[in-house]
Amino acid sequence: EGWQSDQERSGDSGSAGRGQVRDAVVNLRTLFYRLQPDGLVANRTFTDFLKQSNLASKVLHMFAHAFLFHPDLDWYCRLDTDTLFLPANLRRFLRLHGVWPTDRYYLGVRQYQGKYVGSGPFPYGGAGVCISRAALHRLGDWLVSGAVYLDITEVESYSYAAAPCHFTRGHFDDGLLGSCFDLVDIRPHPALVDGVGRAYFSQSPLPCWEYMQHFRPEGYTVADRPVPWITTVPVTNPTWLFGVSPWYLLQRAHLFLPCQPAHLHPDWWMVAYPVSFHGFKKAGHMVEAYRLLVEERILGGCE
């Protein structure tokens, strides 16, 4: 999704006023005939899926398409289908911090789980990744003139050190996108986390009991939950605080440990006007969360 903000600056060539440009459906392979097909492997294992997926290459082609056909918008956001995205709060962030389309930044959640495997920190895709017009132009220039197609099928981790910012197979598009940002010098905005460690983007859904099937500790029951659930998430179990893989959150410990309340999970130590949440596997839950956040109505679906 690309959109024009209401920001204006003297001499800025961007369009004033608000508006969105959307392509209902874009068949990328009609425009980029070398885009690798998704590797459909019969009885494939999860590892096969990670290696043969064309998601990483497809996301780079999406940005190339935006650069070629919609280069004059202000901001461009790559979102998952289960991401709840609040454009009004993104605009608020941009105004609050004086960020302009001519500034070369990306916005999102910095993910540190690639810190020691070659790729380094990168923007976590599930929370959404937004880039400015200036960033898109820098990225697009490389994608259409420098990136090549590589027949590599062994990429199954977040490390794209062997093929940084080239069109290659793999599932982890955010890791590959992070390698692109490093290559063409697109940096995260320094205010993505505020002075006390609170984030603007979240890689988890709202902390409503109904949404948290994938986040509850094993054996945790409704009777065990604290009240109110939306503000007090249990962290007495270390695996609940740090996830099944401790390196996943521990690499971000410098952000949330200094000020995060002891009872609150890091994914919900957030500002008052968050831009995104992620992981809504049911459309009804996303609608409920949107109404709760935007319309300030509780419809009986967020306990």
Side-chain angles (χ1 to χ4, degrees):
E1 179 175 350
W3 52 277
Q4 296 172 340
S5 70
D6 58 355
Q7 298 166 320
E8 293 182 83
R9 171 185 281 177
S10 177
D12 183 10
S13 61
S15 301
R18 296 182 180 180
Q20 289 182 320
V21 174
R22 295 182 180 180
D23 292 297
V25 176
V26 175
N27 185 346
L28 291 171
R29 296 200 69 196
T30 64
L31 301 169
F32 306 101
Y33 68 94
R34 296 188 63 188
L35 172 60
Q36 301 92 331
D38 200 17
L40 299 177
V41 181
N43 301 317
R44 63 182 178 179
T45 65
F46 184 64
T47 299
D48 290 332
F49 165 75
L50 298 182
K51 292 179 180 179
Q52 298 293 335
S53 171
N54 71 346
L55 178 60
S57 179
K58 185 164 57 179
V59 167
L60 294 192
H61 283 87
M62 288 165 54
F63 281 107
H65 176 272
F67 173 67
L68 292 172
F69 294 95
H70 304 295
D72 298 325
L73 300 178
D74 289 344
W75 292 88
Y76 304 81
C77 295
R78 166 245 177 270
L79 306 170
D80 283 357
T81 54
D82 60 345
T83 300
L84 174 61
F85 176 64
L86 304 172
N89 288 350
L90 178 58
R91 293 187 180 101
R92 184 182 186 277
F93 172 90
L94 298 174
R95 288 193 298 268
L96 180 65
H97 297 287
V99 191
W100 295 89
T102 50
D103 297 327
R104 199 168 64 242
Y105 286 122
Y106 76 77
L107 311 176
V109 170
R110 290 200 84 194
Q111 182 56 270
Y112 288 83
Q113 64 193 79
K115 186 174 182 179
Y116 298 114
V117 295
S119 62
F122 57 88
Y124 179 73
V129 183
C130 297
I131 65 175
S132 65
R133 184 197 318 134
L136 178 78
H137 288 189
R138 178 66 70 92
L139 175 61
D141 281 338
W142 166 258
L143 293 178
V144 301
S145 63
V148 298
Y149 290 83
L150 299 177
D151 188 20
I152 296 176
T153 59
E154 297 302 317
V155 179
E156 57 181 287
S157 72
Y158 282 96
S159 175
Y160 284 88
C165 204
H166 290 291
F167 299 113
T168 183
R169 291 187 184 275
H171 175 70
F172 299 110
D173 63 286
D174 44 9
L176 183 58
L177 193 59
S179 75
C180 293
F181 291 166
D182 288 341
L183 180 69
V184 299
D185 195 28
I186 298 172
R187 299 301 175 190
H189 192 275
L192 290 177
V193 176
D194 73 5
V196 293
R198 297 177 300 181
Y200 282 86
F201 294 71
S202 178
Q203 55 202 16
S204 298
L206 275 176
C208 305
W209 183 258
E210 292 82 1
Y211 309 161
M212 303 310 298
Q213 294 91 337
H214 303 296
F215 292 82
R216 304 175 197 168
E218 184 175 357
Y220 201 81
T221 66
V222 174
D224 296 324
R225 74 177 187 266
V227 179
W229 167 254
I230 198 166
T231 57
T232 55
V233 179
V235 293
T236 54
N237 184 337
T239 61
W240 177 233
L241 174 59
F242 295 116
V244 294
S245 299
W247 45 263
Y248 161 63
L249 289 175
L250 283 176
Q251 304 303 339
R252 292 194 292 140
H254 63 286
L255 299 177
F256 58 77
L257 284 185
C259 300
Q260 175 202 335
H263 64 270
L264 196 66
H265 188 284
D267 280 355
W268 300 298
W269 181 226
M270 300 189 69
V271 297
Y273 295 91
V275 174
S276 72
F277 292 91
H278 170 250
F280 294 93
K281 303 306 181 183
K282 295 182 179 180
H285 288 169
M286 186 179 292
V287 171
E288 291 170 356
Y290 176 84
R291 291 179 175 175
L292 174 64
L293 290 166
V294 176
E295 302 174 6
E296 299 182 351
R297 291 193 298 165
I298 296 180
L299 305 179
C302 183
E303 187 176 353

